Amino acid sequence: MEQFEPERLSAAQVAAMRRSLTGGRGALTRRSLLRASGAGALAVGGLASLSACGIPPARRDGATAASDDHSDREKVINFSNWTEYMDISDDEKTHPTLEEFTKRTGIEVNYTEDINDNVEFFGKIRPQLAAGQDTGRDLIVVTDWLAARIIRLGWAQKLDSSHLPHAFANLIPQYRSPDWDPGRAHSYPWTGIDTVIAYNTKATGGKKVDSVTQMLDDPTLKGRVGFLTEMRDTVGMTLLDQGKDPATFTTPDYDAAIARLQKGVDTKQIRRFTGNDYTSDLDKGDLAACLAWAGDVIQLQAGNPDIQYAIPAVGYITSSDNLLVPARARHKANAEKLIDYYYEPPVAAQLAAFISYVCPVAGVKDDLAKIDPALADNPLIIPDEEMTARAHAFRMLTSEEETEYEEKFAKLIGA
Protein backbone atom coordinates (compact mmCIF):
# COMPACT_ATOMS: atom_id res chain seq x y z
CA MET A 1 0.00 0.00 0.00
CA GLU A 2 1.05 3.58 -0.61
CA GLN A 3 2.50 5.32 2.45
CA PHE A 4 1.99 8.99 3.18
CA GLU A 5 2.79 11.59 5.77
CA PRO A 6 -0.14 13.07 7.66
CA GLU A 7 -1.14 16.47 6.33
CA ARG A 8 0.17 19.41 8.34
CA LEU A 9 -1.49 22.78 8.76
CA SER A 10 0.38 25.93 7.80
CA ALA A 11 0.38 28.98 10.06
CA ALA A 12 -2.13 30.59 7.71
CA GLN A 13 -4.49 27.62 7.95
CA VAL A 14 -4.21 27.65 11.74
CA ALA A 15 -5.04 31.36 11.80
CA ALA A 16 -8.07 30.81 9.56
CA MET A 17 -9.38 28.09 11.85
CA ARG A 18 -8.85 30.31 14.90
CA ARG A 19 -10.99 32.97 13.21
CA SER A 20 -13.68 30.36 12.64
CA LEU A 21 -13.58 29.37 16.29
CA THR A 22 -13.75 32.86 17.78
CA GLY A 23 -16.17 34.48 15.39
CA GLY A 24 -16.96 32.40 12.35
CA ARG A 25 -19.26 29.56 11.47
CA GLY A 26 -17.45 27.13 13.75
CA ALA A 27 -18.21 29.20 16.86
CA LEU A 28 -21.90 28.38 16.76
CA THR A 29 -24.23 25.62 17.79
CA ARG A 30 -26.73 24.40 15.25
CA ARG A 31 -29.87 25.89 16.84
CA SER A 32 -28.51 29.10 18.37
CA LEU A 33 -29.56 32.43 16.90
CA LEU A 34 -26.14 32.81 15.35
CA ARG A 35 -25.75 29.36 13.90
CA ALA A 36 -23.84 28.01 10.97
CA SER A 37 -21.27 25.36 10.17
CA GLY A 38 -17.60 25.71 9.44
CA ALA A 39 -14.01 24.96 10.26
CA GLY A 40 -14.63 24.57 13.97
CA ALA A 41 -12.94 25.08 17.29
CA LEU A 42 -9.20 25.17 17.68
CA ALA A 43 -8.72 23.26 20.88
CA VAL A 44 -5.04 22.53 21.30
CA GLY A 45 -5.65 18.80 21.11
CA GLY A 46 -7.75 19.10 17.97
CA LEU A 47 -5.19 21.28 16.23
CA ALA A 48 -2.39 18.95 17.18
CA SER A 49 -4.32 16.04 15.74
CA LEU A 50 -4.46 17.70 12.35
CA SER A 51 -0.88 18.91 12.25
CA ALA A 52 1.08 16.39 14.28
CA CYS A 53 3.62 14.13 12.67
CA GLY A 54 3.28 10.54 13.79
CA ILE A 55 3.82 7.11 12.34
CA PRO A 56 2.68 7.40 8.74
CA PRO A 57 -0.41 5.21 8.29
CA ALA A 58 -1.24 3.19 5.24
CA ARG A 59 -3.48 5.02 2.82
CA ARG A 60 -6.73 3.21 2.05
CA ASP A 61 -9.29 3.74 -0.65
CA GLY A 62 -13.00 3.57 0.03
CA ALA A 63 -13.16 -0.15 -0.72
CA THR A 64 -10.21 -1.29 1.39
CA ALA A 65 -11.39 1.02 4.20
CA ALA A 66 -14.36 -1.30 4.68
CA SER A 67 -14.55 -3.87 7.43
CA ASP A 68 -16.68 -6.96 7.87
CA ASP A 69 -20.23 -5.66 8.01
CA HIS A 70 -22.13 -6.89 11.06
CA SER A 71 -25.42 -5.22 10.09
CA ASP A 72 -27.31 -8.48 9.64
CA ARG A 73 -26.38 -9.72 13.11
CA GLU A 74 -26.24 -6.42 15.00
CA LYS A 75 -29.31 -4.22 14.51
CA VAL A 76 -27.68 -1.00 15.64
CA ILE A 77 -26.19 2.25 14.31
CA ASN A 78 -23.79 4.49 16.21
CA PHE A 79 -24.50 7.99 14.84
CA SER A 80 -22.46 11.10 15.76
CA ASN A 81 -23.89 14.51 14.89
CA TRP A 82 -23.70 18.19 15.82
CA THR A 83 -25.67 19.51 18.77
CA GLU A 84 -29.29 20.42 18.09
CA TYR A 85 -29.08 19.23 14.49
CA MET A 86 -31.96 16.73 14.77
CA ASP A 87 -35.69 17.05 15.35
CA ILE A 88 -36.73 16.60 18.96
CA SER A 89 -40.02 16.06 20.79
CA ASP A 90 -41.74 18.83 22.74
CA ASP A 91 -40.56 17.33 26.00
CA GLU A 92 -37.02 17.16 24.56
CA LYS A 93 -36.69 13.49 25.48
CA THR A 94 -36.89 11.78 22.08
CA HIS A 95 -36.06 12.30 18.42
CA PRO A 96 -39.27 11.46 16.52
CA THR A 97 -37.70 10.65 13.15
CA LEU A 98 -35.14 8.33 14.74
CA GLU A 99 -37.85 6.60 16.75
CA GLU A 100 -39.87 6.03 13.58
CA PHE A 101 -36.81 4.60 11.82
CA THR A 102 -36.33 2.10 14.63
CA LYS A 103 -40.00 1.09 14.56
CA ARG A 104 -39.82 0.54 10.82
CA THR A 105 -36.51 -1.33 10.63
CA GLY A 106 -35.86 -2.74 14.08
CA ILE A 107 -32.47 -0.99 14.03
CA GLU A 108 -31.62 0.88 17.23
CA VAL A 109 -29.84 4.20 16.76
CA ASN A 110 -27.32 5.22 19.40
CA TYR A 111 -27.50 8.93 18.65
CA THR A 112 -24.77 11.12 20.15
CA GLU A 113 -24.38 14.89 19.86
CA ASP A 114 -20.61 14.79 20.27
CA ILE A 115 -19.55 17.01 17.36
CA ASN A 116 -19.02 20.59 18.50
CA ASP A 117 -16.64 21.56 15.72
CA ASN A 118 -14.90 19.87 12.83
CA VAL A 119 -11.29 20.14 14.00
CA GLU A 120 -11.90 18.93 17.52
CA PHE A 121 -13.99 15.99 16.30
CA PHE A 122 -11.37 15.01 13.75
CA GLY A 123 -8.88 15.01 16.61
CA LYS A 124 -11.03 12.43 18.40
CA ILE A 125 -11.29 10.00 15.51
CA ARG A 126 -8.02 10.53 13.65
CA PRO A 127 -5.85 8.14 15.73
CA GLN A 128 -8.20 5.21 15.08
CA LEU A 129 -8.61 6.08 11.41
CA ALA A 130 -4.86 6.39 10.93
CA ALA A 131 -4.31 3.04 12.63
CA GLY A 132 -6.96 1.29 10.54
CA GLN A 133 -9.24 0.79 13.54
CA ASP A 134 -12.98 1.17 14.08
CA THR A 135 -13.84 4.60 15.54
CA GLY A 136 -16.93 3.19 17.23
CA ARG A 137 -19.09 5.29 14.90
CA ASP A 138 -21.04 4.09 11.88
CA LEU A 139 -22.20 7.50 10.67
CA ILE A 140 -20.82 11.02 11.13
CA VAL A 141 -21.72 14.52 9.89
CA VAL A 142 -18.86 16.84 8.88
CA THR A 143 -18.53 19.99 6.79
CA ASP A 144 -17.43 19.66 3.19
CA TRP A 145 -13.80 20.71 3.65
CA LEU A 146 -13.30 18.04 6.32
CA ALA A 147 -15.31 15.49 4.37
CA ALA A 148 -12.91 16.14 1.48
CA ARG A 149 -9.90 15.58 3.73
CA ILE A 150 -11.27 12.32 5.16
CA ILE A 151 -12.12 11.00 1.70
CA ARG A 152 -8.74 12.07 0.31
CA LEU A 153 -6.97 10.16 3.09
CA GLY A 154 -8.99 7.04 2.29
CA TRP A 155 -10.79 7.08 5.64
CA ALA A 156 -14.39 6.97 4.38
CA GLN A 157 -16.15 3.89 3.03
CA LYS A 158 -17.68 3.85 -0.43
CA LEU A 159 -21.44 3.72 -0.25
CA ASP A 160 -23.51 1.02 -1.91
CA SER A 161 -25.91 2.81 -4.26
CA SER A 162 -28.27 -0.16 -4.24
CA HIS A 163 -28.98 0.65 -0.57
CA LEU A 164 -29.72 4.30 -1.36
CA PRO A 165 -32.64 4.46 -3.83
CA HIS A 166 -34.30 7.51 -2.23
CA ALA A 167 -31.02 9.34 -1.75
CA PHE A 168 -29.95 8.71 -5.32
CA ALA A 169 -33.30 9.80 -6.74
CA ASN A 170 -34.04 12.75 -4.46
CA LEU A 171 -30.73 14.56 -3.96
CA ILE A 172 -31.15 18.01 -5.49
CA PRO A 173 -28.87 18.75 -8.46
CA GLN A 174 -26.67 21.41 -6.89
CA TYR A 175 -25.20 18.89 -4.42
CA ARG A 176 -24.90 15.88 -6.73
CA SER A 177 -21.23 15.89 -7.65
CA PRO A 178 -18.82 18.04 -5.63
CA ASP A 179 -15.25 18.00 -6.87
CA TRP A 180 -14.09 16.42 -3.62
CA ASP A 181 -16.52 13.46 -3.96
CA PRO A 182 -17.59 13.04 -7.59
CA GLY A 183 -20.95 11.35 -7.90
CA ARG A 184 -21.34 11.24 -4.13
CA ALA A 185 -19.47 7.94 -3.93
CA HIS A 186 -18.73 8.39 -0.22
CA SER A 187 -21.13 11.03 1.11
CA TYR A 188 -24.60 12.55 1.09
CA PRO A 189 -25.52 16.02 2.37
CA TRP A 190 -27.28 16.36 5.70
CA THR A 191 -27.96 20.06 5.08
CA GLY A 192 -26.86 22.88 2.81
CA ILE A 193 -25.36 26.20 3.93
CA ASP A 194 -25.82 29.27 1.71
CA THR A 195 -24.05 32.66 1.74
CA VAL A 196 -26.25 35.58 0.71
CA ILE A 197 -26.41 39.37 1.02
CA ALA A 198 -28.41 40.65 3.98
CA TYR A 199 -29.40 44.27 4.55
CA ASN A 200 -31.36 46.41 6.98
CA THR A 201 -33.92 48.49 5.08
CA LYS A 202 -34.12 51.03 7.89
CA ALA A 203 -30.35 51.59 7.62
CA THR A 204 -30.39 51.73 3.81
CA GLY A 205 -33.34 54.13 3.66
CA GLY A 206 -35.43 51.46 1.98
CA LYS A 207 -32.81 50.72 -0.67
CA LYS A 208 -32.28 47.13 -1.77
CA VAL A 209 -28.70 45.85 -1.76
CA ASP A 210 -28.22 42.94 -4.13
CA SER A 211 -24.62 42.77 -5.36
CA VAL A 212 -21.05 42.84 -4.10
CA THR A 213 -20.41 45.69 -6.54
CA GLN A 214 -23.09 47.76 -4.83
CA MET A 215 -21.67 46.91 -1.42
CA LEU A 216 -18.22 48.07 -2.51
CA ASP A 217 -19.15 51.11 -4.63
CA ASP A 218 -22.39 52.65 -3.33
CA PRO A 219 -21.35 55.87 -1.50
CA THR A 220 -24.50 55.80 0.64
CA LEU A 221 -23.26 52.56 2.21
CA LYS A 222 -19.73 53.79 2.95
CA GLY A 223 -18.46 52.62 6.31
CA ARG A 224 -21.51 50.42 6.90
CA VAL A 225 -20.64 47.32 4.86
CA GLY A 226 -19.47 44.00 6.28
CA PHE A 227 -17.75 40.99 4.74
CA LEU A 228 -17.03 37.66 6.41
CA THR A 229 -13.82 36.38 7.96
CA GLU A 230 -14.45 33.04 6.23
CA MET A 231 -12.23 33.13 3.14
CA ARG A 232 -14.30 30.87 0.91
CA ASP A 233 -17.46 32.91 1.48
CA THR A 234 -15.99 36.41 1.05
CA VAL A 235 -13.62 35.64 -1.82
CA GLY A 236 -16.10 33.28 -3.46
CA MET A 237 -18.83 35.93 -3.55
CA THR A 238 -16.32 38.49 -4.89
CA LEU A 239 -15.11 36.09 -7.59
CA LEU A 240 -18.69 35.65 -8.75
CA ASP A 241 -19.18 39.41 -8.81
CA GLN A 242 -16.14 39.69 -11.06
CA GLY A 243 -17.49 37.11 -13.50
CA LYS A 244 -15.28 34.25 -12.32
CA ASP A 245 -16.44 30.75 -11.44
CA PRO A 246 -15.46 29.71 -7.88
CA ALA A 247 -15.29 26.13 -9.16
CA THR A 248 -12.56 26.86 -11.71
CA PHE A 249 -10.81 30.10 -10.74
CA THR A 250 -7.05 30.61 -11.05
CA THR A 251 -4.54 32.27 -8.75
CA PRO A 252 -4.65 35.51 -10.80
CA ASP A 253 -8.45 35.47 -10.43
CA TYR A 254 -8.05 35.06 -6.68
CA ASP A 255 -5.52 37.90 -6.53
CA ALA A 256 -7.88 40.19 -8.46
CA ALA A 257 -10.67 39.46 -5.95
CA ILE A 258 -8.34 40.24 -3.05
CA ALA A 259 -7.33 43.50 -4.73
CA ARG A 260 -10.98 44.45 -5.22
CA LEU A 261 -11.66 43.90 -1.54
CA GLN A 262 -8.46 45.71 -0.54
CA LYS A 263 -9.71 48.80 -2.34
CA GLY A 264 -12.87 48.60 -0.23
CA VAL A 265 -10.69 48.51 2.88
CA ASP A 266 -8.46 51.38 1.74
CA THR A 267 -11.41 53.65 0.89
CA LYS A 268 -13.14 52.68 4.17
CA GLN A 269 -16.17 51.45 2.25
CA ILE A 270 -15.88 48.24 4.26
CA ARG A 271 -16.55 48.78 7.95
CA ARG A 272 -15.02 45.50 8.97
CA PHE A 273 -14.71 41.79 8.35
CA THR A 274 -16.91 39.91 10.76
CA GLY A 275 -17.63 36.51 12.14
CA ASN A 276 -21.02 35.65 13.53
CA ASP A 277 -21.19 39.02 15.31
CA TYR A 278 -22.48 40.64 12.12
CA THR A 279 -25.97 39.63 13.22
CA SER A 280 -26.15 42.10 16.10
CA ASP A 281 -24.65 44.91 13.99
CA LEU A 282 -27.10 44.24 11.17
CA ASP A 283 -30.02 44.04 13.56
CA LYS A 284 -29.13 47.43 15.10
CA GLY A 285 -28.36 49.04 11.74
CA ASP A 286 -24.66 49.62 12.43
CA LEU A 287 -24.16 47.53 9.33
CA ALA A 288 -26.44 48.52 6.49
CA ALA A 289 -25.48 45.49 4.38
CA CYS A 290 -23.24 42.46 4.74
CA LEU A 291 -22.56 38.96 3.58
CA ALA A 292 -24.58 36.59 5.74
CA TRP A 293 -25.42 32.92 6.25
CA ALA A 294 -28.96 32.04 5.26
CA GLY A 295 -29.79 30.31 8.54
CA ASP A 296 -29.02 33.53 10.41
CA VAL A 297 -31.25 35.54 8.10
CA ILE A 298 -34.25 33.30 8.82
CA GLN A 299 -33.75 33.78 12.55
CA LEU A 300 -33.16 37.55 12.33
CA GLN A 301 -36.24 38.10 10.20
CA ALA A 302 -38.37 36.47 12.88
CA GLY A 303 -37.56 39.37 15.21
CA ASN A 304 -36.87 42.28 12.89
CA PRO A 305 -38.99 42.98 9.78
CA ASP A 306 -36.35 45.40 8.50
CA ILE A 307 -33.95 42.54 7.76
CA GLN A 308 -34.06 41.47 4.13
CA TYR A 309 -31.82 39.37 1.92
CA ALA A 310 -30.85 39.25 -1.74
CA ILE A 311 -29.40 36.63 -4.04
CA PRO A 312 -27.04 38.37 -6.47
CA ALA A 313 -27.86 37.90 -10.14
CA VAL A 314 -24.39 36.41 -10.62
CA GLY A 315 -25.00 33.78 -7.94
CA TYR A 316 -24.01 32.83 -4.41
CA ILE A 317 -21.73 30.42 -2.55
CA THR A 318 -23.12 27.20 -1.13
CA SER A 319 -21.53 24.46 0.98
CA SER A 320 -22.84 21.50 2.96
CA ASP A 321 -22.58 19.31 6.03
CA ASN A 322 -22.26 15.68 4.97
CA LEU A 323 -23.01 12.13 6.11
CA LEU A 324 -20.02 9.77 5.95
CA VAL A 325 -19.45 6.15 7.00
CA PRO A 326 -15.96 6.05 8.54
CA ALA A 327 -13.40 3.41 7.64
CA ARG A 328 -13.82 0.13 9.53
CA ALA A 329 -17.33 0.97 10.75
CA ARG A 330 -19.13 -2.25 11.75
CA HIS A 331 -22.63 -1.38 10.53
CA LYS A 332 -22.29 0.15 7.09
CA ALA A 333 -25.48 -1.34 5.60
CA ASN A 334 -27.50 -0.14 8.59
CA ALA A 335 -26.00 3.33 8.21
CA GLU A 336 -26.91 3.35 4.54
CA LYS A 337 -30.51 2.54 5.45
CA LEU A 338 -30.57 5.55 7.76
CA ILE A 339 -29.08 7.84 5.11
CA ASP A 340 -31.70 6.69 2.65
CA TYR A 341 -34.48 7.15 5.22
CA TYR A 342 -33.65 10.85 5.58
CA TYR A 343 -34.03 11.26 1.83
CA GLU A 344 -37.69 10.26 1.94
CA PRO A 345 -39.56 13.59 1.51
CA PRO A 346 -41.88 13.29 4.56
CA VAL A 347 -38.92 12.54 6.81
CA ALA A 348 -36.76 15.24 5.24
CA ALA A 349 -39.57 17.76 5.71
CA GLN A 350 -39.84 16.94 9.40
CA LEU A 351 -36.11 17.46 9.83
CA ALA A 352 -36.06 20.69 7.80
CA ALA A 353 -38.93 22.15 9.83
CA PHE A 354 -36.87 21.77 12.94
CA ILE A 355 -33.39 22.89 11.87
CA SER A 356 -34.31 25.48 9.17
CA TYR A 357 -31.29 24.82 6.99
CA VAL A 358 -31.25 24.25 3.24
CA CYS A 359 -32.93 20.92 2.61
CA PRO A 360 -30.97 18.84 0.07
CA VAL A 361 -33.95 16.58 -0.68
CA ALA A 362 -36.18 17.15 -3.70
CA GLY A 363 -39.96 16.89 -3.39
CA VAL A 364 -40.35 17.99 0.22
CA LYS A 365 -42.41 21.15 -0.31
CA ASP A 366 -45.88 19.62 0.07
CA ASP A 367 -44.87 17.72 3.19
CA LEU A 368 -43.20 20.79 4.69
CA ALA A 369 -46.27 22.91 3.93
CA LYS A 370 -48.35 20.59 6.11
CA ILE A 371 -46.01 21.45 8.99
CA ASP A 372 -45.40 25.16 8.27
CA PRO A 373 -46.48 26.83 5.01
CA ALA A 374 -44.06 29.73 5.53
CA LEU A 375 -41.07 27.39 5.67
CA ALA A 376 -42.25 25.59 2.56
CA ASP A 377 -42.25 28.87 0.63
CA ASN A 378 -38.85 30.02 1.91
CA PRO A 379 -36.17 29.56 -0.78
CA LEU A 380 -33.49 29.65 1.92
CA ILE A 381 -34.82 26.25 3.03
CA ILE A 382 -36.21 24.90 -0.24
CA PRO A 383 -34.33 26.60 -3.09
CA ASP A 384 -36.56 27.40 -6.04
CA GLU A 385 -35.38 26.97 -9.63
CA GLU A 386 -34.04 30.50 -9.83
CA MET A 387 -32.03 30.18 -6.63
CA THR A 388 -30.76 26.72 -7.50
CA ALA A 389 -29.49 28.00 -10.83
CA ARG A 390 -27.40 30.60 -9.03
CA ALA A 391 -25.65 28.22 -6.60
CA HIS A 392 -21.88 27.85 -6.82
CA ALA A 393 -19.42 25.82 -4.75
CA PHE A 394 -15.89 26.98 -3.95
CA ARG A 395 -13.50 24.49 -5.50
CA MET A 396 -11.28 22.13 -3.56
CA LEU A 397 -7.84 23.61 -2.88
CA THR A 398 -4.50 21.88 -2.79
CA SER A 399 -2.58 22.18 0.45
CA GLU A 400 -0.22 24.63 -1.23
CA GLU A 401 -3.08 26.76 -2.53
CA GLU A 402 -4.80 26.82 0.81
CA THR A 403 -1.64 28.07 2.53
CA GLU A 404 -1.04 30.76 -0.11
CA TYR A 405 -4.64 31.93 -0.27
CA GLU A 406 -5.16 32.05 3.48
CA GLU A 407 -1.98 34.11 3.88
CA LYS A 408 -3.24 36.66 1.38
CA PHE A 409 -6.68 36.75 2.95
CA ALA A 410 -5.25 37.15 6.45
CA LYS A 411 -3.28 40.17 5.27
CA LEU A 412 -6.43 41.67 3.73
CA ILE A 413 -8.53 41.41 6.88
CA GLY A 414 -5.69 42.28 9.25
CA ALA A 415 -5.69 38.92 11.00
Side-chain angles (χ1 to χ4, degrees):
M1 294 183 180
E2 176 189 2
Q3 300 289 311
F4 75 102
E5 293 290 339
E7 297 183 55
R8 296 175 177 84
L9 293 180
S10 69
Q13 290 169 307
V14 169
M17 290 183 177
R18 289 191 189 279
R19 290 196 303 273
S20 187
L21 164 66
T22 57
R25 293 187 290 186
L28 314 174
T29 62
R30 285 307 198 265
R31 286 288 290 177
S32 65
L33 172 63
L34 311 176
R35 67 183 186 227
S37 129
L42 250 291
V44 173
L47 179 57
S49 296
L50 276 176
S51 58
C53 179
I55 299 172
R59 185 183 182 92
R60 290 174 293 277
D61 62 27
T64 57
S67 63
D68 292 336
D69 195 345
H70 298 261
S71 294
D72 287 342
R73 300 183 298 278
E74 300 174 4
K75 297 297 184 180
V76 66
I77 301 168
N78 297 309
F79 183 7
S80 286
N81 203 347
W82 297 76
T83 57
E84 301 184 63
Y85 219 18
M86 177 69 74
D87 60 302
I88 194 167
S89 60
D90 291 339
D91 61 8
E92 299 187 353
K93 293 182 178 180
T94 63
H95 300 290
T97 56
L98 289 178
E99 282 200 332
E100 178 59 32
F101 174 79
T102 297
K103 289 179 182 177
R104 184 192 299 186
T105 64
I107 299 170
E108 293 288 339
V109 182
N110 295 325
Y111 183 73
T112 308
E113 294 181 336
D114 62 344
I115 306 179
N116 294 308
D117 64 80
N118 288 288
V119 174
E120 183 183 57
F121 180 68
F122 189 52
K124 292 179 183 178
I125 65 175
R126 181 188 178 278
Q128 293 97 329
L129 292 171
Q133 299 172 350
D134 178 17
T135 66
R137 298 167 175 87
D138 302 303
L139 196 60
I140 62 175
V141 178
V142 293
T143 305
D144 47 14
W145 69 267
L146 181 54
R149 183 185 295 268
I150 291 172
I151 292 168
R152 184 168 65 246
L153 293 174
W155 292 345
Q157 297 195 43
K158 287 185 177 178
L159 301 175
D160 185 339
S161 60
S162 69
H163 295 164
L164 299 161
H166 294 99
F168 182 81
N170 294 332
L171 177 60
I172 63 177
Q174 73 186 68
Y175 297 117
R176 280 199 173 271
S177 194
D179 59 0
W180 47 268
D181 189 22
R184 290 287 178 182
H186 304 84
S187 68
Y188 270 89
W190 181 247
T191 57
I193 307 159
D194 293 343
T195 303
V196 300
I197 294 175
Y199 58 99
N200 186 318
T201 56
K202 187 173 182 179
T204 65
K207 180 185 296 186
K208 181 179 183 179
V209 181
D210 60 3
S211 72
V212 169
T213 290
Q214 184 180 0
M215 292 173 67
L216 291 173
D217 292 344
D218 187 337
T220 68
L221 301 177
K222 185 173 182 178
R224 298 185 298 149
V225 169
F227 284 79
L228 294 165
T229 55
E230 296 282 351
M231 181 269 286
R232 286 167 175 80
D233 296 315
T234 285
V235 176
M237 293 290 280
T238 306
L239 284 166
L240 284 168
D241 191 71
Q242 294 183 309
K244 303 299 181 180
D245 186 349
T248 60
F249 71 90
T250 64
T251 294
D253 295 334
Y254 183 92
D255 291 344
I258 292 290
R260 180 79 170 99
L261 291 162
Q262 185 65 57
K263 181 180 177 182
V265 172
D266 295 342
T267 61
K268 302 189 185 308
Q269 180 78 8
I270 298 175
R271 182 185 183 94
R272 65 191 184 102
F273 293 85
T274 71
N276 58 274
D277 51 328
Y278 72 81
T279 53
S280 59
D281 286 349
L282 183 65
D283 191 43
K284 292 183 295 185
D286 292 340
L287 283 176
C290 62
L291 296 187
W293 294 303
D296 292 350
V297 174
I298 295 172
Q299 295 297 314
L300 286 169
Q301 286 181 323
N304 186 345
D306 295 325
I307 303 300
Q308 301 294 322
Y309 74 92
I311 307 298
V314 294
Y316 64 98
I317 294 294
T318 189
S319 58
S320 59
D321 282 345
N322 307 277
L323 295 153
L324 295 177
V325 177
R328 305 302 175 188
R330 288 174 61 90
H331 310 109
K332 174 174 174 282
N334 290 345
E336 289 166 337
K337 289 179 181 178
L338 187 61
I339 294 172
D340 198 58
Y341 169 74
Y342 277 102
Y343 273 79
E344 296 179 17
V347 180
Q350 191 169 346
L351 180 67
F354 183 82
I355 64 177
S356 299
Y357 274 78
V358 178
C359 181
V361 182
V364 302
K365 187 167 185 175
D366 289 345
D367 291 292
L368 188 55
K370 296 174 184 176
I371 302 170
D372 188 332
L375 295 180
D377 289 332
N378 192 329
L380 299 184
I381 297 175
I382 301 180
D384 54 24
E385 289 185 7
E386 181 182 3
M387 187 164 180
T388 298
R390 298 183 189 180
H392 295 267
F394 197 96
R395 71 171 173 84
M396 184 171 60
L397 302 178
T398 66
S399 180
E400 293 78 11
E401 285 177 326
E402 187 162 0
T403 296
E404 177 186 354
Y405 294 173
E406 287 289 4
E407 286 176 349
K408 292 174 179 177
F409 188 69
K411 183 178 179 180
L412 167 72
I413 68 175

